[in-house]
CSV table of all heavy atoms in Angstrom, one decimal:
chain,number,residue,atom,x,y,z
A,4,MET,N,112.7,121.6,138.7
A,4,MET,CA,112.0,122.0,137.4
A,4,MET,C,112.6,121.2,136.3
A,4,MET,O,111.8,120.9,135.3
A,4,MET,CB,112.1,123.5,137.2
A,4,MET,CG,111.5,123.8,135.9
A,4,MET,SD,110.4,125.2,135.6
A,4,MET,CE,109.9,126.1,136.9
A,5,ASP,N,113.8,120.8,136.3
A,5,ASP,CA,114.4,120.1,135.2
A,5,ASP,C,113.8,118.7,135.1
A,5,ASP,O,113.6,118.2,134.0
A,5,ASP,CB,115.9,120.0,135.5
A,5,ASP,CG,116.7,119.5,134.2
A,5,ASP,OD1,116.2,119.9,133.1
A,5,ASP,OD2,117.7,118.8,134.4
A,6,ARG,N,113.5,118.1,136.2
A,6,ARG,CA,112.8,116.7,136.2
A,6,ARG,C,111.4,116.8,135.6
A,6,ARG,O,111.0,115.9,134.9
A,6,ARG,CB,112.8,116.2,137.6
A,6,ARG,CG,114.1,115.7,138.1
A,6,ARG,CD,113.9,114.9,139.4
A,6,ARG,NE,115.1,114.5,140.0
A,6,ARG,CZ,115.7,113.3,139.7
A,6,ARG,NH1,115.1,112.5,138.9
A,6,ARG,NH2,116.8,113.0,140.3
A,7,ASN,N,110.7,117.9,135.8
A,7,ASN,CA,109.4,118.0,135.3
A,7,ASN,C,109.4,118.1,133.7
A,7,ASN,O,108.6,117.6,133.0
A,7,ASN,CB,108.7,119.2,135.9
A,7,ASN,CG,108.2,119.0,137.3
A,7,ASN,OD1,108.1,117.9,137.7
A,7,ASN,ND2,108.0,120.1,138.0
A,8,ALA,N,110.4,118.9,133.3
A,8,ALA,CA,110.6,119.0,131.8
A,8,ALA,C,111.0,117.7,131.2
A,8,ALA,O,110.4,117.4,130.1
A,8,ALA,CB,111.7,120.1,131.5
A,9,GLN,N,111.8,116.9,131.8
A,9,GLN,CA,112.2,115.6,131.3
A,9,GLN,C,111.0,114.7,131.3
A,9,GLN,O,110.8,114.0,130.3
A,9,GLN,CB,113.3,115.0,132.1
A,9,GLN,CG,113.8,113.7,131.6
A,9,GLN,CD,114.9,113.1,132.4
A,9,GLN,OE1,115.4,113.7,133.4
A,9,GLN,NE2,115.3,111.9,132.1
A,10,ALA,N,110.2,114.7,132.3
A,10,ALA,CA,109.0,113.8,132.4
A,10,ALA,C,108.0,114.2,131.3
A,10,ALA,O,107.4,113.4,130.7
A,10,ALA,CB,108.4,113.9,133.8
A,11,SER,N,107.9,115.5,131.1
A,11,SER,CA,106.9,116.0,130.1
A,11,SER,C,107.4,115.5,128.7
A,11,SER,O,106.6,115.1,127.8
A,11,SER,CB,106.8,117.5,130.1
A,11,SER,OG,106.2,117.9,131.3
A,12,MET,N,108.7,115.7,128.4
A,12,MET,CA,109.3,115.3,127.1
A,12,MET,C,109.1,113.8,126.9
A,12,MET,O,108.8,113.3,125.8
A,12,MET,CB,110.7,115.7,127.0
A,12,MET,CG,110.9,117.2,126.8
A,12,MET,SD,110.1,117.8,125.3
A,12,MET,CE,111.1,117.0,124.1
A,13,GLU,N,109.4,113.0,128.0
A,13,GLU,CA,109.2,111.5,127.8
A,13,GLU,C,107.7,111.2,127.6
A,13,GLU,O,107.5,110.3,126.7
A,13,GLU,CB,109.7,110.8,129.1
A,13,GLU,CG,111.2,110.9,129.3
A,13,GLU,CD,111.6,110.3,130.6
A,13,GLU,OE1,110.7,109.8,131.4
A,13,GLU,OE2,112.8,110.3,130.9
A,14,TYR,N,106.8,111.9,128.2
A,14,TYR,CA,105.4,111.6,128.0
A,14,TYR,C,105.0,111.9,126.6
A,14,TYR,O,104.3,111.2,125.9
A,14,TYR,CB,104.6,112.4,129.0
A,14,TYR,CG,103.1,112.3,128.8
A,14,TYR,CD1,102.4,111.2,129.2
A,14,TYR,CD2,102.4,113.3,128.1
A,14,TYR,CE1,101.0,111.0,129.0
A,14,TYR,CE2,101.0,113.1,127.9
A,14,TYR,CZ,100.3,112.0,128.3
A,14,TYR,OH,99.0,111.9,128.1
A,15,ILE,N,105.4,113.1,126.1
A,15,ILE,CA,105.1,113.5,124.7
A,15,ILE,C,105.7,112.5,123.7
A,15,ILE,O,105.1,112.1,122.7
A,15,ILE,CB,105.6,114.9,124.4
A,15,ILE,CG1,104.7,115.9,125.3
A,15,ILE,CG2,105.6,115.3,123.0
A,15,ILE,CD1,105.2,117.3,125.3
A,16,LEU,N,107.0,112.1,124.0
A,16,LEU,CA,107.6,111.1,123.1
A,16,LEU,C,106.9,109.8,123.0
A,16,LEU,O,106.7,109.2,122.0
A,16,LEU,CB,109.1,111.0,123.5
A,16,LEU,CG,109.9,110.0,122.6
A,16,LEU,CD1,110.1,110.6,121.2
A,16,LEU,CD2,111.3,109.8,123.2
A,17,MET,N,106.5,109.3,124.2
A,17,MET,CA,105.8,108.0,124.2
A,17,MET,C,104.4,108.1,123.6
A,17,MET,O,104.0,107.2,122.9
A,17,MET,CB,105.6,107.6,125.7
A,17,MET,CG,106.9,107.1,126.3
A,17,MET,SD,107.4,105.6,125.5
A,17,MET,CE,109.1,106.0,125.2
A,18,PHE,N,103.8,109.2,123.7
A,18,PHE,CA,102.5,109.5,123.1
A,18,PHE,C,102.7,109.5,121.5
A,18,PHE,O,101.9,108.9,120.8
A,18,PHE,CB,101.9,110.8,123.5
A,18,PHE,CG,100.5,111.0,123.0
A,18,PHE,CD1,99.4,110.4,123.5
A,18,PHE,CD2,100.4,111.9,121.9
A,18,PHE,CE1,98.2,110.6,122.9
A,18,PHE,CE2,99.1,112.1,121.4
A,18,PHE,CZ,98.0,111.5,121.9
A,19,ALA,N,103.7,110.2,121.1
A,19,ALA,CA,104.0,110.2,119.6
A,19,ALA,C,104.3,108.9,119.1
A,19,ALA,O,103.9,108.5,118.0
A,19,ALA,CB,105.1,111.2,119.3
A,20,VAL,N,105.1,108.1,119.8
A,20,VAL,CA,105.5,106.8,119.3
A,20,VAL,C,104.2,105.9,119.3
A,20,VAL,O,104.0,105.1,118.3
A,20,VAL,CB,106.6,106.2,120.2
A,20,VAL,CG1,106.8,104.7,119.9
A,20,VAL,CG2,107.9,106.9,120.0
A,21,GLY,N,103.4,106.0,120.3
A,21,GLY,CA,102.2,105.2,120.3
A,21,GLY,C,101.2,105.6,119.1
A,21,GLY,O,100.6,104.7,118.5
A,22,MET,N,101.1,106.8,118.8
A,22,MET,CA,100.3,107.3,117.7
A,22,MET,C,100.9,106.8,116.4
A,22,MET,O,100.1,106.4,115.5
A,22,MET,CB,100.2,108.8,117.7
A,22,MET,CG,99.4,109.4,118.9
A,22,MET,SD,97.7,108.8,118.9
A,22,MET,CE,97.0,109.6,117.5
A,23,LEU,N,102.2,106.8,116.3
A,23,LEU,CA,102.9,106.3,115.0
A,23,LEU,C,102.6,104.8,114.9
A,23,LEU,O,102.3,104.4,113.8
A,23,LEU,CB,104.4,106.6,115.1
A,23,LEU,CG,105.2,106.1,113.9
A,23,LEU,CD1,104.7,106.9,112.6
A,23,LEU,CD2,106.6,106.4,114.2
A,24,ILE,N,102.7,104.1,115.9
A,24,ILE,CA,102.5,102.6,115.8
A,24,ILE,C,101.0,102.4,115.5
A,24,ILE,O,100.7,101.5,114.6
A,24,ILE,CB,102.8,101.9,117.2
A,24,ILE,CG1,104.4,101.9,117.3
A,24,ILE,CG2,102.3,100.5,117.2
A,24,ILE,CD1,104.9,101.5,118.7
A,25,ALA,N,100.1,103.1,116.1
A,25,ALA,CA,98.7,102.9,115.7
A,25,ALA,C,98.4,103.3,114.3
A,25,ALA,O,97.6,102.6,113.6
A,25,ALA,CB,97.8,103.8,116.7
A,26,ALA,N,99.0,104.3,113.8
A,26,ALA,CA,98.8,104.7,112.4
A,26,ALA,C,99.4,103.6,111.4
A,26,ALA,O,98.7,103.3,110.4
A,26,ALA,CB,99.5,106.0,112.1
A,27,ILE,N,100.5,103.0,111.8
A,27,ILE,CA,101.1,102.0,110.9
A,27,ILE,C,100.2,100.8,110.9
A,27,ILE,O,99.9,100.2,109.9
A,27,ILE,CB,102.5,101.6,111.4
A,27,ILE,CG1,103.4,102.8,111.1
A,27,ILE,CG2,103.0,100.3,110.8
A,27,ILE,CD1,104.8,102.6,111.7
A,28,ILE,N,99.6,100.4,112.1
A,28,ILE,CA,98.7,99.2,112.2
A,28,ILE,C,97.5,99.5,111.4
A,28,ILE,O,97.0,98.6,110.6
A,28,ILE,CB,98.4,98.9,113.6
A,28,ILE,CG1,99.7,98.4,114.3
A,28,ILE,CG2,97.3,97.9,113.7
A,28,ILE,CD1,99.5,98.2,115.8
A,29,ILE,N,96.9,100.6,111.5
A,29,ILE,CA,95.7,101.0,110.7
A,29,ILE,C,96.0,101.0,109.2
A,29,ILE,O,95.2,100.4,108.5
A,29,ILE,CB,95.1,102.3,111.2
A,29,ILE,CG1,94.5,102.2,112.6
A,29,ILE,CG2,94.0,102.8,110.2
A,29,ILE,CD1,94.2,103.5,113.3
A,30,TYR,N,97.1,101.5,108.8
A,30,TYR,CA,97.5,101.5,107.4
A,30,TYR,C,97.6,100.1,106.9
A,30,TYR,O,97.2,99.8,105.8
A,30,TYR,CB,98.8,102.3,107.2
A,30,TYR,CG,99.2,102.3,105.8
A,30,TYR,CD1,98.6,103.2,104.9
A,30,TYR,CD2,100.2,101.5,105.4
A,30,TYR,CE1,99.1,103.2,103.6
A,30,TYR,CE2,100.7,101.5,104.1
A,30,TYR,CZ,100.1,102.4,103.2
A,30,TYR,OH,100.5,102.4,101.9
A,31,LYS,N,98.3,99.2,107.7
A,31,LYS,CA,98.5,97.9,107.2
A,31,LYS,C,97.1,97.1,107.2
A,31,LYS,O,96.9,96.3,106.3
A,31,LYS,CB,99.4,97.1,108.1
A,31,LYS,CG,100.8,97.7,108.0
A,31,LYS,CD,101.4,97.3,106.7
A,31,LYS,CE,102.9,97.8,106.6
A,31,LYS,NZ,103.5,97.5,105.3
A,32,LEU,N,96.2,97.3,108.1
A,32,LEU,CA,95.0,96.6,108.2
A,32,LEU,C,94.0,97.1,107.0
A,32,LEU,O,93.4,96.3,106.4
A,32,LEU,CB,94.3,96.8,109.5
A,32,LEU,CG,94.9,96.1,110.7
A,32,LEU,CD1,94.2,96.4,112.0
A,32,LEU,CD2,94.9,94.6,110.5
A,33,ILE,N,93.9,98.4,106.8
A,33,ILE,CA,93.0,98.9,105.8
A,33,ILE,C,93.7,99.1,104.5
A,33,ILE,O,93.2,98.6,103.5
A,33,ILE,CB,92.4,100.2,106.3
A,33,ILE,CG1,91.6,100.0,107.6
A,33,ILE,CG2,91.6,100.8,105.2
A,33,ILE,CD1,91.0,101.2,108.2
A,34,GLY,N,94.8,99.7,104.5
A,34,GLY,CA,95.6,100.0,103.3
A,34,GLY,C,94.9,100.9,102.4
A,34,GLY,O,93.8,100.7,101.9
A,35,ILE,N,95.4,102.1,102.2
A,35,ILE,CA,94.8,103.1,101.3
A,35,ILE,C,94.7,102.6,99.9
A,35,ILE,O,93.6,102.7,99.3
A,35,ILE,CB,95.6,104.4,101.4
A,35,ILE,CG1,95.5,105.0,102.8
A,35,ILE,CG2,95.1,105.4,100.4
A,35,ILE,CD1,96.3,106.2,103.1
A,36,LYS,N,95.7,102.0,99.4
A,36,LYS,CA,95.6,101.5,98.0
A,36,LYS,C,94.7,100.4,97.9
A,36,LYS,O,93.9,100.3,96.9
A,36,LYS,CB,97.0,101.1,97.5
A,36,LYS,CG,98.0,102.2,97.4
A,36,LYS,CD,99.3,101.7,96.9
A,36,LYS,CE,100.3,102.9,96.8
A,36,LYS,NZ,101.6,102.4,96.4
A,37,GLY,N,94.6,99.5,98.9
A,37,GLY,CA,93.7,98.4,98.8
A,37,GLY,C,92.3,98.8,98.9
A,37,GLY,O,91.4,98.3,98.2
A,38,LEU,N,92.0,99.8,99.7
A,38,LEU,CA,90.7,100.4,99.8
A,38,LEU,C,90.2,101.0,98.5
A,38,LEU,O,89.1,100.9,98.0
A,38,LEU,CB,90.6,101.4,100.9
A,38,LEU,CG,89.2,102.0,101.3
A,38,LEU,CD1,88.3,100.9,101.7
A,38,LEU,CD2,89.4,103.0,102.4
A,39,ALA,N,91.2,101.8,97.8
A,39,ALA,CA,90.9,102.4,96.6
A,39,ALA,C,90.6,101.4,95.5
A,39,ALA,O,89.7,101.5,94.6
A,39,ALA,CB,92.0,103.3,96.2
A,40,ARG,N,91.4,100.3,95.5
A,40,ARG,CA,91.2,99.2,94.5
A,40,ARG,C,89.9,98.6,94.7
A,40,ARG,O,89.2,98.3,93.7
A,40,ARG,CB,92.3,98.2,94.6
A,40,ARG,CG,93.4,98.3,93.6
A,40,ARG,CD,94.4,97.2,93.6
A,40,ARG,NE,95.6,97.7,94.1
A,40,ARG,CZ,96.3,97.3,95.1
A,40,ARG,NH1,96.0,96.3,95.8
A,40,ARG,NH2,97.5,97.9,95.4
A,41,TRP,N,89.5,98.3,95.9
A,41,TRP,CA,88.2,97.7,96.2
A,41,TRP,C,87.1,98.6,95.7
A,41,TRP,O,86.1,98.1,95.1
A,41,TRP,CB,88.1,97.4,97.7
A,41,TRP,CG,86.7,96.9,98.1
A,41,TRP,CD1,86.3,95.6,98.0
A,41,TRP,CD2,85.6,97.6,98.6
A,41,TRP,NE1,85.0,95.5,98.4
A,41,TRP,CE2,84.6,96.7,98.8
A,41,TRP,CE3,85.4,99.0,98.9
A,41,TRP,CZ2,83.3,97.1,99.3
A,41,TRP,CZ3,84.2,99.3,99.4
A,41,TRP,CH2,83.2,98.4,99.6
A,42,ALA,N,87.1,99.9,96.0
A,42,ALA,CA,86.1,100.8,95.6
A,42,ALA,C,86.0,100.9,94.1
A,42,ALA,O,84.9,100.9,93.5
A,42,ALA,CB,86.4,102.2,96.2
A,43,GLY,N,87.2,100.9,93.4
A,43,GLY,CA,87.2,100.9,91.9
A,43,GLY,C,86.6,99.6,91.4
A,43,GLY,O,85.8,99.7,90.4
A,44,ALA,N,86.9,98.5,92.0
A,44,ALA,CA,86.3,97.2,91.5
A,44,ALA,C,84.8,97.2,91.7
A,44,ALA,O,84.1,96.7,90.8
A,44,ALA,CB,87.0,96.0,92.2
A,45,GLN,N,84.4,97.7,92.8
A,45,GLN,CA,82.9,97.8,93.0
A,45,GLN,C,82.2,98.6,92.0
A,45,GLN,O,81.2,98.3,91.5
A,45,GLN,CB,82.6,98.3,94.5
A,45,GLN,CG,83.0,97.3,95.6
A,45,GLN,CD,82.2,96.0,95.5
A,45,GLN,OE1,81.1,96.0,95.3
A,45,GLN,NE2,82.9,94.9,95.8
A,46,MET,N,82.8,99.8,91.7
A,46,MET,CA,82.2,100.7,90.7
A,46,MET,C,82.2,100.0,89.3
A,46,MET,O,81.2,100.1,88.6
A,46,MET,CB,83.0,102.0,90.7
A,46,MET,CG,82.8,102.8,91.9
A,46,MET,SD,83.8,104.3,92.0
A,46,MET,CE,83.8,105.0,90.4
A,47,SER,N,83.3,99.3,89.0
A,47,SER,CA,83.4,98.7,87.7
A,47,SER,C,82.3,97.5,87.6
A,47,SER,O,81.6,97.4,86.6
A,47,SER,CB,84.8,98.1,87.5
A,47,SER,OG,84.9,97.4,86.3
A,48,ASP,N,82.2,96.7,88.6
A,48,ASP,CA,81.3,95.6,88.6
A,48,ASP,C,79.8,96.2,88.5
A,48,ASP,O,79.0,95.6,87.8
A,48,ASP,CB,81.4,94.8,89.9
A,48,ASP,CG,82.7,94.0,89.9
A,48,ASP,OD1,83.3,93.8,88.8
A,48,ASP,OD2,83.1,93.5,91.0
A,49,THR,N,79.6,97.2,89.3
A,49,THR,CA,78.2,97.8,89.2
A,49,THR,C,77.9,98.3,87.8
A,49,THR,O,76.8,98.1,87.3
A,49,THR,CB,78.1,98.9,90.3
A,49,THR,OG1,78.4,98.4,91.6
A,49,THR,CG2,76.7,99.5,90.3
A,50,GLY,N,78.9,99.0,87.2
A,50,GLY,CA,78.7,99.5,85.9
A,50,GLY,C,78.4,98.4,84.9
A,50,GLY,O,77.6,98.5,84.0
A,51,GLU,N,79.2,97.3,85.0
A,51,GLU,CA,79.0,96.2,84.1
A,51,GLU,C,77.6,95.5,84.3
A,51,GLU,O,76.9,95.2,83.4
A,51,GLU,CB,80.1,95.1,84.3
A,51,GLU,CG,81.4,95.5,83.9
A,51,GLU,CD,82.5,94.6,84.2
A,51,GLU,OE1,82.2,93.5,84.8
A,51,GLU,OE2,83.7,94.9,84.0
A,52,ASN,N,77.2,95.4,85.6
A,52,ASN,CA,75.9,94.8,85.9
A,52,ASN,C,74.7,95.7,85.3
A,52,ASN,O,73.8,95.2,84.8
A,52,ASN,CB,75.7,94.6,87.4
A,52,ASN,CG,76.5,93.5,87.9
A,52,ASN,OD1,76.9,92.6,87.2
A,52,ASN,ND2,76.8,93.5,89.2
A,53,ILE,N,74.9,97.0,85.4
A,53,ILE,CA,73.9,97.9,84.9
A,53,ILE,C,73.8,97.8,83.4
A,53,ILE,O,72.7,97.7,82.8
A,53,ILE,CB,74.2,99.4,85.3
A,53,ILE,CG1,73.9,99.5,86.8
A,53,ILE,CG2,73.3,100.3,84.5
A,53,ILE,CD1,74.4,100.9,87.4
A,54,SER,N,75.0,97.7,82.7
A,54,SER,CA,75.0,97.6,81.3
A,54,SER,C,74.4,96.3,80.8
A,54,SER,O,73.6,96.3,79.9
A,54,SER,CB,76.4,97.6,80.8
A,54,SER,OG,77.0,98.9,81.0
A,55,LYS,N,74.7,95.2,81.5
A,55,LYS,CA,74.1,93.9,81.2
A,55,LYS,C,72.6,93.9,81.3
A,55,LYS,O,71.8,93.4,80.5
A,55,LYS,CB,74.7,92.8,82.0
A,55,LYS,CG,76.1,92.4,81.6
A,55,LYS,CD,76.7,91.4,82.5
A,55,LYS,CE,78.1,91.1,82.2
A,55,LYS,NZ,78.7,90.2,83.2
A,56,ASN,N,72.1,94.5,82.5
A,56,ASN,CA,70.7,94.5,82.7
A,56,ASN,C,70.0,95.4,81.7
A,56,ASN,O,68.9,95.0,81.2
A,56,ASN,CB,70.4,95.0,84.1
A,56,ASN,CG,70.8,94.0,85.2
A,56,ASN,OD1,70.8,92.8,84.9
A,56,ASN,ND2,71.0,94.5,86.4
A,57,LEU,N,70.6,96.5,81.3
A,57,LEU,CA,69.9,97.3,80.3
A,57,LEU,C,69.9,96.6,78.9
A,57,LEU,O,68.9,96.7,78.2
A,57,LEU,CB,70.7,98.7,80.2
A,57,LEU,CG,70.4,99.7,81.3
A,57,LEU,CD1,71.3,100.9,81.2
A,57,LEU,CD2,69.0,100.1,81.4
A,58,GLN,N,71.0,95.9,78.6
A,58,GLN,CA,71.0,95.2,77.4
A,58,GLN,C,69.9,94.1,77.4
A,58,GLN,O,69.2,93.9,76.4
A,58,GLN,CB,72.4,94.5,77.2
A,58,GLN,CG,72.6,93.9,75.8
A,58,GLN,CD,72.6,94.9,74.7
A,58,GLN,OE1,72.9,96.1,74.9
A,58,GLN,NE2,72.2,94.5,73.5
A,59,ASN,N,69.8,93.4,78.5
A,59,ASN,CA,68.8,92.3,78.6
A,59,ASN,C,67.4,92.9,78.5
A,59,ASN,O,66.5,92.3,77.9
A,59,ASN,CB,69.0,91.5,79.9
A,59,ASN,CG,70.2,90.6,79.9
A,59,ASN,OD1,70.7,90.3,78.8
A,59,ASN,ND2,70.6,90.3,81.1
A,60,LEU,N,67.2,94.1,79.1
A,60,LEU,CA,65.9,94.7,79.1
A,60,LEU,C,65.6,95.2,77.7
A,60,LEU,O,64.4,95.0,77.2
A,60,LEU,CB,65.9,95.9,80.0
A,60,LEU,CG,64.6,96.7,80.2
A,60,LEU,CD1,63.5,95.8,80.8
A,60,LEU,CD2,64.8,97.9,81.0
A,61,SER,N,66.5,95.7,76.9
A,61,SER,CA,66.3,96.1,75.6
A,61,SER,C,66.0,94.9,74.6
A,61,SER,O,65.3,95.0,73.7
A,61,SER,CB,67.4,97.0,75.0
A,61,SER,OG,68.6,96.2,74.9
A,62,ASN,N,66.7,93.8,74.9
A,62,ASN,CA,66.4,92.6,74.1
A,62,ASN,C,65.1,92.0,74.4
A,62,ASN,O,64.5,91.4,73.5
A,62,ASN,CB,67.5,91.5,74.4
A,62,ASN,CG,68.9,91.9,73.8
A,62,ASN,OD1,69.0,92.8,72.9
A,62,ASN,ND2,69.9,91.4,74.4
A,63,THR,N,64.6,92.1,75.6
A,63,THR,CA,63.3,91.4,75.9
A,63,THR,C,62.1,92.3,75.4
A,63,THR,O,61.0,91.8,75.2
A,63,THR,CB,63.1,91.2,77.4
A,63,THR,OG1,63.3,92.4,78.1
A,63,THR,CG2,64.2,90.2,77.9
A,64,THR,N,62.3,93.6,75.2
A,64,THR,CA,61.2,94.4,74.8
A,64,THR,C,61.0,94.4,73.3
A,64,THR,O,60.0,94.9,72.8
A,64,THR,CB,61.4,95.9,75.3
A,64,THR,OG1,62.7,96.4,74.8
A,64,THR,CG2,61.4,96.0,76.8
A,65,ARG,N,61.9,93.8,72.5
A,65,ARG,CA,61.8,93.8,71.1
A,65,ARG,C,60.9,92.7,70.6
A,65,ARG,O,60.6,91.7,71.1
A,65,ARG,CB,63.1,93.6,70.4
A,65,ARG,CG,64.0,94.8,70.6
A,65,ARG,CD,65.3,94.7,69.9
A,65,ARG,NE,66.1,95.8,70.2
A,65,ARG,CZ,67.3,96.0,69.8
A,65,ARG,NH1,67.9,95.0,69.1
A,65,ARG,NH2,68.0,97.1,70.0
């Protein structure tokens, strides 16, 4: 029974290490801060484009 417990602990440990490595790789590839910066930049650019288009539209209707 002692060998089964050791094998189970090794399996759980290897699974946890694998999940940790996968999480680190995903974090480095996507990057939470990078994703937030990209979304913020997209929102800012879209807001600027909308403002410019509305300004152009109001200038052409006069």
